[in-house]
Amino acid sequence: MYSGGVDAAERLVESTRVLLWERGYVGTSPRAIQAHAGVGQGSMYHHFDGKAALARAAIERTAAELRAAADAQLGADAPALARVEAYLRRERDVLRGCPVGRLTQDPDVMADAELRRPVEQTFTWLRARLGDVLAEGVAAGELVGLDAAVTAATIVAVLQGGYVLARAAGSGVPFAQAVDGLLALLAAHAAPAGPLGPAD
Amino acid sequence: MYSGGVDAAERLVESTRVLLWERGYVGTSPRAIQAHAGVGQGSMYHHFDGKAALARAAIERTAAELRAAADAQLGADAPALARVEAYLRRERDVLRGCPVGRLTQDPDVMADAELRRPVEQTFTWLRARLGDVLAEGVAAGELVGLDAAVTAATIVAVLQGGYVLARAAGSGVPFAQAVDGLLALLAAHAAPAGPLGPAD
DNA sequence: GTCTATACTTAGATAGAC
DNA sequence: GTCTATCTAAGTATAGAC
């Protein structure tokens, strides 16, 4: 049961985030949320219209957090490929999977426009963000012969698929392998750095 | 409601396969299976012990089908990279996602050893199968500078992640992009074919 | 704001008749 | 083999007291 020094509404949203990640929308009941948050029935329905409204708040927060986390690496002051590598190799709770990606498997989330929107936007944003980084690398002559948009989709897919493989295996190893394999493939497109760098 | 010219047990398994794919294990009730199969309560419990037993039969069949489908391309008589490409570009019901991969997000499937085993085995097998194909390509001099095992994980991850991106976007486009990006990266490792082929 | 009582539906399964 | 009744628990929510 969760409780920080915060109010009921806040605890409810955080508990919903945890349970959605663990069990998905279909597998998460209002009762379970209340129990996890240590909040009663009446309190929950006072603060939120119901399960969908709570899920909406939870999903939007999780999506925003994911974007911020990605920006931490992708917006760093470093060469494009180094930023991509930092993003790919960032510490992750691999066996828990991606809290946003898992929602794509939730039929009731995908069927509700309000719940679905943040999921869709997150991946649209992420592909674009990665595409921009790659395009910068190409423009700087640091990366050669890459289609930025298409490669960005490949990179996001490797992460999302890596989570699937890790969960299937019950081990983080296949995730690490998928990332290693991708980085090896990307390395072949790095311009050989002369003593003067990419502008050499 | 499903019905071929087959018996109740068969219709139940096929209906369970469809519903597991669409709604997952947690989201699929015995009642829904009965309704989809056009089979009564009593009949279902006569043929199967319960939901878990039915799901087990369904998942095992789906896993076997996935392996057979992959083998159709990966076991063809063609160069390694061509086989991988044929596998990646095979016609797929992209928006429905992978019927095996989606189960990794189902907490009740992963918590039940009997249900989980076919999921785990499928991906272990698939990575090994792809790894063998790549290793053949390397041995034949057709592919250069690739770590077969690690690259195999990357390839499977791109597919699984491609499904996630497609479902998030509500479009097959990001899946196709992810695959295109991967094939472009792999192409850089194909040995230039001289007039005499790889042994040139 | 939070609690308790209440309500209606579904999940998941058993029992026994046909 | 299949049907209908029946059962306990849980899902999801409302109503009204405190």
Side-chain angles (χ1 to χ4, degrees):
Chain A
M1 157 170 146
Y2 171 85
S3 67
V6 290
D7 64 19
E10 173 61 20
R11 292 210 303 280
L12 284 164
V13 172
E14 282 304 309
S15 292
T16 303
R17 277 171 18 102
V18 168
L19 292 172
L20 284 183
W21 195 355
E22 244 170 49
R23 305 201 34 89
Y25 184 79
V26 170
T28 297
S29 68
R31 292 171 90 91
I33 294 170
Q34 292 152 26
H36 189 277
V39 160
Q41 184 95 327
S43 183
M44 176 187 136
Y45 282 101
H46 171 75
H47 290 289
F48 295 91
D49 270 357
K51 178 177 169 175
L54 243 177
R56 187 178 166 191
I59 292 173
E60 279 170 354
R61 184 180 294 184
T62 295
E65 217 173 64
L66 186 150
R67 288 195 289 268
D71 248 339
Q73 282 89 40
L74 297 180
D77 181 18
L81 190 52
R83 281 182 277 162
V84 170
E85 175 163 5
Y87 174 61
L88 286 169
R89 293 207 192 279
R90 181 183 82 202
E91 167 117 345
R92 287 163 197 276
D93 215 339
V94 170
L95 288 180
R96 295 178 78 190
C98 173
V100 179
R102 73 113 56 234
L103 298 172
T104 61
Q105 304 300 331
D106 233 309
D108 292 0
V109 169
M110 300 313 276
D112 180 325
E114 303 280 294
L115 298 181
R116 180 188 178 145
R117 188 177 315 112
V119 175
E120 176 164 0
Q121 285 180 342
T122 295
F123 286 110
T124 298
W125 175 87
L126 184 54
R127 287 192 287 129
R129 189 74 182 82
L130 265 165
D132 288 347
V133 171
L134 293 173
E136 280 178 48
V138 170
E142 177 206 338
L143 291 172
V144 180
L146 282 183
D147 178 325
V150 150
T151 307
T154 303
I155 293 171
V156 180
V158 166
L159 282 178
Q160 292 297 314
Y163 285 123
V164 170
L165 296 185
R167 285 183 61 86
S171 153
V173 170
F175 181 97
Q177 289 185 320
V179 167
D180 285 348
L182 173 62
L183 284 170
L185 290 171
L186 288 173
H189 292 262
L196 297 181
D200 188 26
Chain B
M1 157 170 146
Y2 171 84
S3 66
V6 292
D7 64 19
E10 174 61 20
R11 290 210 304 280
L12 284 165
V13 173
E14 282 303 310
S15 292
T16 303
R17 277 167 22 99
V18 168
L19 292 172
L20 284 183
W21 195 356
E22 242 170 52
R23 305 202 34 91
Y25 184 79
V26 170
T28 298
S29 68
R31 292 170 91 89
I33 295 171
Q34 293 152 27
H36 188 277
V39 159
Q41 184 96 326
S43 182
M44 177 187 133
Y45 282 102
H46 171 75
H47 291 288
F48 296 92
D49 270 357
K51 178 178 168 174
L54 242 178
R56 187 179 167 191
I59 292 172
E60 281 171 353
R61 184 180 294 183
T62 296
E65 217 172 65
L66 186 150
R67 288 196 289 269
D71 248 339
Q73 281 89 42
L74 297 180
D77 181 18
L81 189 53
R83 281 182 277 161
V84 170
E85 176 163 4
Y87 174 61
L88 286 169
R89 292 208 192 277
R90 181 182 83 202
E91 167 117 346
R92 287 164 197 276
D93 215 338
V94 170
L95 288 181
R96 296 178 77 189
C98 173
V100 179
R102 74 116 52 234
L103 298 172
T104 61
Q105 303 300 332
D106 231 310
D108 293 0
V109 168
M110 300 313 275
D112 179 326
E114 303 279 296
L115 298 181
R116 181 189 177 143
R117 187 177 316 113
V119 175
E120 176 164 0
Q121 286 179 343
T122 295
F123 286 109
T124 299
W125 175 87
L126 184 54
R127 288 193 286 128
R129 188 74 182 82
L130 265 165
D132 288 347
V133 170
L134 293 172
E136 280 177 48
V138 170
E142 177 204 338
L143 291 173
V144 179
L146 282 183
D147 178 324
V150 151
T151 307
T154 303
I155 293 171
V156 181
V158 166
L159 281 178
Q160 292 297 313
Y163 284 123
V164 170
L165 297 186
R167 284 184 61 85
S171 152
V173 170
F175 181 97
Q177 289 185 319
V179 166
D180 286 348
L182 173 62
L183 284 169
L185 290 171
L186 288 172
H189 293 262
L196 297 180
D200 188 28

